[in-house]
Amino acid sequence: MGDEISARALADWLREFARRIHEHRDELTRLDSAIGDADHGTNMDRGLTAVVAAIDALGPATAGQLLKKTGMTLVSTVGGASGPLYGTFFLRLATALGDVDVVTTAQLAAAFRAGLEGVVARGKAQAGDKTMVDALSPAVDALEAAAAGGATTHDALQAARAAGERGRDATTPMQARKGRASYLGERSVGHQDPGATSVELLLSAAVDTLG
Amino acid sequence: MGDEISARALADWLREFARRIHEHRDELTRLDSAIGDADHGTNMDRGLTAVVAAIDALGPATAGQLLKKTGMTLVSTVGGASGPLYGTFFLRLATALGDVDVVTTAQLAAAFRAGLEGVVARGKAQAGDKTMVDALSPAVDALEAAAAGGATTHDALQAARAAGERGRDATTPMQARKGRASYLGERSVGHQDPGATSVELLLSAAVDTLG
Amino acid sequence: MKKLINEPQAVVSEALLGLEAAHPDLRVDHANKIIYRGDAPKSGKVGLVSGGGSGHEPLHGGFVGFGMLDAACAGEIFTSPVPDQMAAATSLVDGGAGVLHIVKNYTGDVMNFEMAAELAAAESGVQVRSVVTDDDVAVRDSTWTAGRRGVGVTVLLEKIAGAAAEEGRPLDEVERIARTVNANGRSMGVALTSCTVPSAGSPTFDLPQDMMELGVGIHGEPGRERVPLAPARDIARMLLDPVIEDLPLRAGDPVIAFVNGLGGTPLIELYVLYNEVAKILAAQRISVARSLVGPYITSLDMAGASVTLLKVDDELLGLWDAPVSTPGLRWGR
Amino acid sequence: MKKLINEPQAVVSEALLGLEAAHPDLRVDHANKIIYRGDAPKSGKVGLVSGGGSGHEPLHGGFVGFGMLDAACAGEIFTSPVPDQMAAATSLVDGGAGVLHIVKNYTGDVMNFEMAAELAAAESGVQVRSVVTDDDVAVRDSTWTAGRRGVGVTVLLEKIAGAAAEEGRPLDEVERIARTVNANGRSMGVALTSCTVPSAGSPTFDLPQDMMELGVGIHGEPGRERVPLAPARDIARMLLDPVIEDLPLRAGDPVIAFVNGLGGTPLIELYVLYNEVAKILAAQRISVARSLVGPYITSLDMAGASVTLLKVDDELLGLWDAPVSTPGLRWGR
Ligand SMILES: Nc1ncnc2c1ncn2[C@@H]1O[C@H](COP(=O)(O)OP(=O)(O)O)[C@@H](O)[C@H]1O
Ligand SMILES: Nc1ncnc2c1ncn2[C@@H]1O[C@H](COP(=O)(O)OP(=O)(O)O)[C@@H](O)[C@H]1O
Ligand SMILES: [Mg+2]
Ligand SMILES: [Mg+2]
Ligand SMILES: [Mg+2]
Ligand SMILES: [Mg+2]
């Protein structure tokens, strides 16, 4: 079943996210070199390597402590656009979940909604601007709907991942209106957004570790 | 016979020298790029173009006036090492010949000796240093000897040119000890000196116009 | 890649060591990659903090000193620094009169500085204001996009706002002056070659021998268009026309004219370009009150240049002329 | 060839127009290609004249101004100016106290300046002295050769002798100080890429991607040897060892340490190199009294750097610190 997510499972999620980022580092950077400045993979890999070290050092912790450390570490080590955005996402997750040791699917969905709102407040991107929001937003919608419908954690995260993947793919034909890619104007069309790509890794890591 | 050289013939000599320099400009520059800074052809061509314009503007003139104008024009327009050296050469010729309208072979030889001494005083190069002196010095020796032996102007200049040509060729195996080529040390060996090459053009122009 | 460096990942920290060794008036917090004035904080003086990705030297670290910045945060090459650096710099220079952040308009820089301001205000209660420079006319502006990039005006703004702060003007005033500078300055650049980021090891973009990138950004971002290589007189016009039109400038307007080298272009070429710029301005009777020619906001080893015009009044000119003593800009002291 | 220029043959004269437009304190005699101070001649002050081929900017024209040169003669790119220019410059700055010629040791420069001194003395009776700089240890010196080349020390000498002249010291004194600087300074350079002379249109020499030219001259003359590309810490040692040994410098000696960019190398790399230089000097307990980091004597767009060390005493340091106001070097005014 797995309808209760332990703080330990959340730590596994972060480690798995770090592993996937490292594995896809060059791909993320390649995507960013087409429409950005060729550092999204390096930035995220630097940040998540630091996150893994930080949560190792933290030892046993509540969900809130773990996610706050993650958010703060990302803010402090990534820089660029993705640092504040991913950092804000995890900080909002931490606040939403608080000092608990187990989390329900509904709580996770609500926390993801808060995280998304944090990203939008910080980056002011709207749907269709060709950013990570285009993957994250439909994923959060799907997660909430599944949780409200009583789906298992696994099914809810699967639905979120699938929606995130579709959202990621949908960035390809978009013209960027936020971030560095926006300087390219029409020339940004035809390239998949790097940030939306790393969001899909976050979601698939969740399916593997939380569901 | 032609044992008397008119000032008009001297002007023809300068024009012919200018023509040959222009014709061999790229060759001189190529030689200079191997062991110098790739400008000897450009430098000399700029200077002799100015000389032709100056003597055109001068109109009828004595030997001294003509050669002084030539020397001063070269000094004022060439720059680099060859400007002061060729300039000094012609200024010394002018002083040696003075305000005359015709010049004997012996007078020409004495003037060339004075010119060579001016070049040596200015540049302090000795025989074997791989400079224009290595062509000019044997040429002056030959010119003097031929004039002293009563040779015709033509024969005397032919002897000078032949000696200058041998002197020019002899620069190839030398190691440079003066000028920019000296920075190359042993790597200057195996290249013909550009200044010695332009001296041979000066001498062959003399054969064609004065003899 | 041919660079005078050791390991690519050590470039920024080693350059900071070199800067510190070469300029005894400056201090460097190596952990936080902050360059700051030896006499910071100055009690009662508004603190000026800037920062951004490295690779644009002398900007920003080379503009720390009397009459200009109090501190600069160095990010990795072309990567915005993080809020911790900026917050630490803010505390370091807080003399009780508030701190102004000078931020070039790039999404990453803007967001990181925003978080830093929140952090600093929460931690120490210091009053922080931000001015975002966005002078690059190569990028079409709109509220729906990331907006124009901050480039050459940043240099002029750091000097002029720095003089206002040094005079002891209050935060409101320093902020107003900074906003005035940004509102009255426009820039545009051109690249003849790409830059090479040390960790990447190869040029950021390919530019054929006979082409140039018009409107390039200082991180090698693409510009308005790729056009055939042109003589300096045509380049001057391609850069100036959109700048003059955008401000707009009119006959009689006095300006500071700034011809900036992008890192790989030697001074002799910048003077050739400045001559063309001066001729165009003279023809339009735009009067050059002051000028600046040299590499001040660079893009690593990129060959190219940018032109910035700043419309000035007597107040701005007085602040421009005020003494300044930094590694990158120095006069009057 | 990618350069911000118009016609290659117009580069020098157009750059002079740009320099004149950008620096209202300077005057330019365009016919003679002379840059001179607007307040020249200064009565009773020794006049300082330098010059040489162009392509080394800011040297020499960018060092004309208060506390440094009175006039500079610009030759064509890498070609010595002619005596007429130098003689005209000499008359222009002759304030009755004599004129010092500062000449870099290249056969052409030396001979042209010699003729200029003869000309000037013959025409106006002005007293002319010459100091020839020959600090480049890459070239083996001997009375039988053209001798060492004049490079980085020229910049330091123009500043220090300029300060002495500005103080009103007599010709003998200014000459003595200039000779002291040259005797106590040594330099060595390295090229990572060749320069490209505009009229030639292609690089002066070919350097493979993995090689560098150690001991290169500022006209692209070959150096001591061609060696594999090395990290900055090794390059610093290759440049410093021969400089320190040649002077020689000993523990405790105070120096001005000057890391110079050759035109195509950005400032961030120069600071990385300076860090290595400072470390080596510290390890040998040679004390850095002052430093200078930047592109001051360049070789068009060549990527590379040179290091100059000048052993100083209190007199030289005082003159170094004295106010200077030129386009290329400015402080205290
Ligand atoms: N304003 C924004 N809102 C949301 N996401 C953004 C915004 N700007 C950029 N991004 C995301 O950040 C990604 C780029 O991150 P990264 O390359 O690490 O930073 P930078 O652009 O500063 O180099 C983009 O692909 C995009 O998904
Ligand atoms: N000291 C010297 N004495 C005599 N000739 C010299 C001397 N130095 C250089 N030269 C001559 O000058 C030639 C180079 O002239 P040029 O290339 O025009 O000047 P630069 O070397 O200044 O570029 C050399 O090939 C050599 O023949
Ligand atoms: Mg990026
Ligand atoms: Mg030559
Ligand atoms: Mg980035
Ligand atoms: Mg030459």
Side-chain angles (χ1 to χ4, degrees):
Chain A
M1 276 289 294
D3 265 318
E4 298 246 293
I5 301 164
S6 67
R8 181 186 296 255
L10 291 173
D12 290 344
W13 171 40
L14 297 166
R15 288 200 176 83
E16 175 62 14
F17 181 37
R19 205 191 56 72
R20 286 178 188 237
I21 286 288
H22 188 72
E23 190 174 288
H24 292 84
R25 183 183 62 185
D26 294 349
E27 179 195 338
L28 293 172
T29 290
R30 207 171 48 247
L31 290 171
D32 194 31
S33 70
I35 55 170
D37 59 350
D39 62 0
H40 187 57
T42 326
N43 288 347
M44 293 297 289
D45 192 34
R46 179 173 61 243
L48 282 147
T49 303
V51 165
V52 169
I55 62 183
D56 282 350
L58 192 64
T62 64
Q65 287 166 340
L66 190 70
L67 293 162
K68 182 172 181 202
K69 176 58 86 182
T70 300
M72 289 191 21
T73 304
L74 291 175
V75 167
S76 304
T77 57
V78 175
S82 48
L85 292 169
Y86 270 103
T88 299
F89 177 77
F90 284 107
L91 289 175
R92 292 288 178 105
L93 249 62
T95 310
L97 295 178
D99 275 343
V100 296
D101 290 318
V102 286
V103 175
T104 65
T105 311
Q107 283 172 322
L108 187 70
F112 262 67
R113 170 66 60 196
L116 170 64
E117 281 167 3
V119 168
V120 170
R122 182 64 65 202
K124 304 191 180 57
Q126 304 189 323
D129 282 354
K130 195 181 184 104
T131 70
M132 56 189 288
V133 170
D134 291 308
L136 194 56
S137 176
V140 173
D141 290 347
L143 185 61
E144 264 182 354
T152 62
T153 307
H154 180 78
D155 290 350
L157 286 170
Q158 274 290 20
R161 193 204 59 78
E165 190 180 38
R166 281 191 302 275
R168 176 199 71 187
D169 293 347
T171 61
T172 303
M174 293 177 183
Q175 174 170 338
R177 282 190 299 253
K178 281 284 180 285
R180 242 174 246 286
S182 70
Y183 305 140
L184 279 164
E186 291 167 11
R187 282 183 281 170
S188 64
V189 170
H191 299 277
Q192 180 175 308
D193 179 61
T197 309
S198 57
V199 163
E200 196 281 332
L201 300 177
L202 178 78
L203 298 168
S204 51
V207 171
D208 280 9
T209 52
L210 306 182
Chain B
M1 276 291 293
D3 264 319
E4 299 247 291
I5 302 163
S6 68
R8 177 186 298 255
L10 290 173
D12 289 344
W13 171 42
L14 296 167
R15 288 200 175 82
E16 175 62 15
F17 182 36
R19 205 191 56 71
R20 287 179 185 236
I21 286 288
H22 188 73
E23 190 175 288
H24 292 85
R25 184 184 59 185
D26 295 347
E27 178 196 337
L28 293 172
T29 290
R30 208 171 48 246
L31 290 172
D32 195 29
S33 70
I35 54 169
D37 59 349
D39 63 0
H40 187 58
T42 326
N43 288 346
M44 294 297 290
D45 191 35
R46 178 173 63 243
L48 282 148
T49 305
V51 164
V52 169
I55 62 182
D56 282 351
L58 193 64
T62 64
Q65 287 166 340
L66 190 70
L67 293 163
K68 183 171 180 200
K69 177 57 85 183
T70 300
M72 288 188 29
T73 304
L74 290 176
V75 167
S76 305
T77 56
V78 176
S82 48
L85 292 170
Y86 270 103
T88 300
F89 178 77
F90 283 107
L91 289 174
R92 292 287 179 102
L93 248 63
T95 311
L97 295 178
D99 276 342
V100 296
D101 290 317
V102 287
V103 174
T104 65
T105 311
Q107 282 172 324
L108 187 70
F112 261 67
R113 170 65 60 195
L116 169 64
E117 283 167 2
V119 169
V120 170
R122 182 62 66 201
K124 304 194 179 55
Q126 304 190 321
D129 283 355
K130 192 179 185 106
T131 71
M132 57 189 287
V133 170
D134 290 308
L136 193 56
S137 176
V140 173
D141 289 347
L143 185 61
E144 265 183 353
T152 62
T153 306
H154 181 78
D155 291 349
L157 286 169
Q158 275 290 19
R161 193 203 59 77
E165 190 181 37
R166 281 190 302 274
R168 176 199 72 190
D169 293 345
T171 61
T172 303
M174 291 178 185
Q175 174 170 339
R177 282 190 299 252
K178 281 282 179 285
R180 242 174 247 286
S182 69
Y183 305 140
L184 279 164
E186 291 167 10
R187 283 183 283 170
S188 64
V189 170
H191 299 277
Q192 181 173 308
D193 179 63
T197 309
S198 57
V199 164
E200 196 280 334
L201 300 176
L202 178 79
L203 298 168
S204 52
V207 170
D208 279 10
T209 52
L210 306 181
Chain C
M1 176 181 61
K2 289 189 138 180
K3 290 185 186 287
L4 276 170
I5 60 172
N6 296 306
E7 295 67 37
Q9 62 277 18
V11 169
V12 174
S13 53
E14 292 180 352
L16 288 181
L17 285 166
L19 187 79
E20 182 182 37
H23 303 288
D25 289 352
L26 301 183
R27 303 283 172 274
V28 175
D29 170 347
H30 293 283
N32 279 309
K33 296 201 169 68
I34 300 169
I35 303 107
Y36 62 105
R37 287 168 64 162
D39 59 358
K42 287 186 83 171
S43 173
K45 175 186 172 302
V46 170
L48 256 63
V49 172
S50 190
S54 294
H56 308 303
E57 292 67 24
L59 188 90
H60 298 274
F63 295 141
V64 174
F66 182 91
M68 218 161 160
L69 298 179
D70 293 274
C73 306
E76 284 306 308
I77 303 276
F78 293 176
T79 299
S80 164
V82 299
D84 308 52
Q85 295 174 265
M86 299 155 178
T90 303
S91 312
L92 219 44
V93 307
D94 171 21
V99 172
L100 183 71
H101 286 177
I102 300 172
V103 187
K104 302 194 296 303
N105 188 35
Y106 300 93
T107 305
D109 293 70
V110 169
M111 291 195 299
N112 282 286
F113 263 106
E114 258 172 36
M115 295 194 86
E118 292 163 19
L119 260 176
E123 278 172 13
S124 64
V126 51
Q127 202 182 356
V128 176
R129 303 278 176 78
S130 287
V131 172
V132 177
T133 59
D134 61 346
D135 53 308
D136 189 347
V137 298
V139 172
R140 254 160 288 273
D141 191 16
S142 127
T143 42
W144 304 106
T145 67
R148 291 190 310 228
R149 301 173 294 219
V151 287
V153 151
T154 317
V155 175
L156 309 182
L157 188 152
E158 291 180 358
K159 166 66 185 85
I160 290 172
E166 202 67 60
E167 275 184 3
R169 300 206 198 178
L171 185 55
D172 278 349
E173 265 291 278
V174 177
E175 183 190 353
R176 176 187 65 77
I177 284 162
R179 290 195 192 287
T180 307
V181 172
N182 185 57
N184 287 285
R186 296 290 188 281
S187 304
M188 177 130 154
V190 65
L192 304 189
T193 69
S194 172
C195 50
T196 295
V197 176
S199 62
S202 54
T204 303
F205 56 90
D206 286 321
L207 202 50
Q209 263 305 314
D210 54 347
M211 299 296 277
M212 58 188 194
E213 182 76 39
L214 190 66
V216 75
I218 56 169
H219 311 90
E221 302 100 326
R224 288 198 169 188
E225 48 180 338
R226 193 160 279 195
V227 299
L229 199 63
R233 65 177 67 88
D234 298 342
I235 292 178
R237 189 163 293 286
M238 291 182 226
L239 297 180
L240 270 184
D241 282 352
V243 162
I244 292 172
E245 185 186 321
D246 197 284
L247 261 171
L249 283 171
R250 291 179 222 291
D253 282 343
V255 297
I256 297 179
F258 171 25
V259 168
N260 174 61
L262 289 176
T265 284
L267 199 52
I268 190 169
E269 297 179 34
L270 298 181
Y271 277 118
V272 168
L273 182 62
Y274 184 77
N275 179 44
E276 300 300 338
V277 167
K279 282 196 293 192
I280 294 173
L281 294 177
Q284 305 198 20
R285 292 195 298 112
I286 294 164
S287 97
V288 178
R290 300 291 183 276
S291 65
L292 185 68
V293 180
Y296 293 102
I297 170 170
T298 60
S299 183
L300 293 171
D301 54 348
M302 184 185 282
S306 64
V307 177
T308 299
L309 296 182
L310 172 65
K311 196 159 121 186
V312 287
D313 55 17
D314 288 344
E315 179 182 38
L316 296 190
L317 271 187
L319 292 167
W320 176 256
D321 289 341
V324 59
S325 176
T326 71
L329 220 53
R330 187 167 175 186
W331 56 72
R333 246 176 96 100
Chain D
M1 176 181 61
K2 290 189 137 180
K3 289 184 187 288
L4 276 170
I5 60 172
N6 296 306
E7 295 67 38
Q9 62 278 16
V11 169
V12 174
S13 54
E14 292 180 352
L16 288 181
L17 285 165
L19 186 79
E20 181 181 37
H23 303 286
D25 289 352
L26 300 184
R27 302 284 171 275
V28 175
D29 170 348
H30 293 282
N32 280 310
K33 297 200 167 68
I34 300 169
I35 304 108
Y36 62 104
R37 287 168 65 162
D39 59 359
K42 286 186 83 170
S43 172
K45 177 186 170 302
V46 170
L48 255 61
V49 173
S50 191
S54 295
H56 308 302
E57 293 65 25
L59 187 91
H60 298 276
F63 296 140
V64 174
F66 181 90
M68 219 163 159
L69 298 179
D70 293 274
C73 307
E76 283 306 308
I77 302 276
F78 293 175
T79 299
S80 163
V82 300
D84 307 54
Q85 293 174 265
M86 298 156 180
T90 304
S91 312
L92 220 44
V93 306
D94 171 23
V99 173
L100 184 70
H101 286 177
I102 300 172
V103 187
K104 300 192 298 303
N105 189 35
Y106 300 93
T107 306
D109 293 70
V110 170
M111 291 194 301
N112 282 285
F113 263 106
E114 258 172 36
M115 295 192 86
E118 291 163 20
L119 260 175
E123 278 171 13
S124 64
V126 51
Q127 202 182 354
V128 177
R129 303 277 176 79
S130 288
V131 172
V132 178
T133 59
D134 61 346
D135 53 309
D136 189 346
V137 296
V139 172
R140 255 160 288 272
D141 190 17
S142 124
T143 42
W144 304 106
T145 66
R148 291 191 309 229
R149 300 173 295 219
V151 286
V153 151
T154 317
V155 176
L156 308 182
L157 188 152
E158 291 179 358
K159 166 65 185 86
I160 291 172
E166 202 68 60
E167 275 184 4
R169 299 206 198 177
L171 185 56
D172 279 348
E173 266 291 277
V174 178
E175 183 191 354
R176 175 188 66 77
I177 284 162
R179 288 193 194 287
T180 307
V181 172
N182 185 56
N184 287 284
R186 297 288 189 281
S187 304
M188 178 131 155
V190 65
L192 304 190
T193 69
S194 172
C195 51
T196 296
V197 175
S199 62
S202 54
T204 304
F205 55 91
D206 286 321
L207 202 50
Q209 264 304 314
D210 55 347
M211 300 295 278
M212 59 188 192
E213 183 75 39
L214 188 66
V216 74
I218 55 170
H219 311 89
E221 303 99 327
R224 287 199 172 188
E225 47 179 340
R226 193 161 278 195
V227 299
L229 200 61
R233 66 177 66 87
D234 298 342
I235 292 177
R237 188 162 295 286
M238 291 182 225
L239 298 180
L240 269 185
D241 282 351
V243 163
I244 292 173
E245 184 185 323
D246 198 285
L247 261 173
L249 283 171
R250 291 178 224 289
D253 282 344
V255 297
I256 297 178
F258 170 27
V259 167
N260 173 61
L262 289 175
T265 285
L267 199 50
I268 191 169
E269 297 180 34
L270 298 181
Y271 278 118
V272 169
L273 182 62
Y274 184 76
N275 178 45
E276 299 300 337
V277 167
K279 283 197 293 191
I280 294 173
L281 294 178
Q284 305 198 18
R285 291 194 300 112
I286 295 163
S287 95
V288 178
R290 299 291 183 276
S291 65
L292 186 68
V293 180
Y296 292 101
I297 169 169
T298 59
S299 182
L300 294 170
D301 54 349
M302 183 184 284
S306 64
V307 176
T308 299
L309 296 182
L310 172 64
K311 195 158 119 186
V312 287
D313 56 17
D314 288 345
E315 180 182 37
L316 296 190
L317 272 186
L319 293 166
W320 176 256
D321 289 341
V324 59
S325 177
T326 70
L329 219 53
R330 188 166 174 187
W331 55 72
R333 245 176 97 98

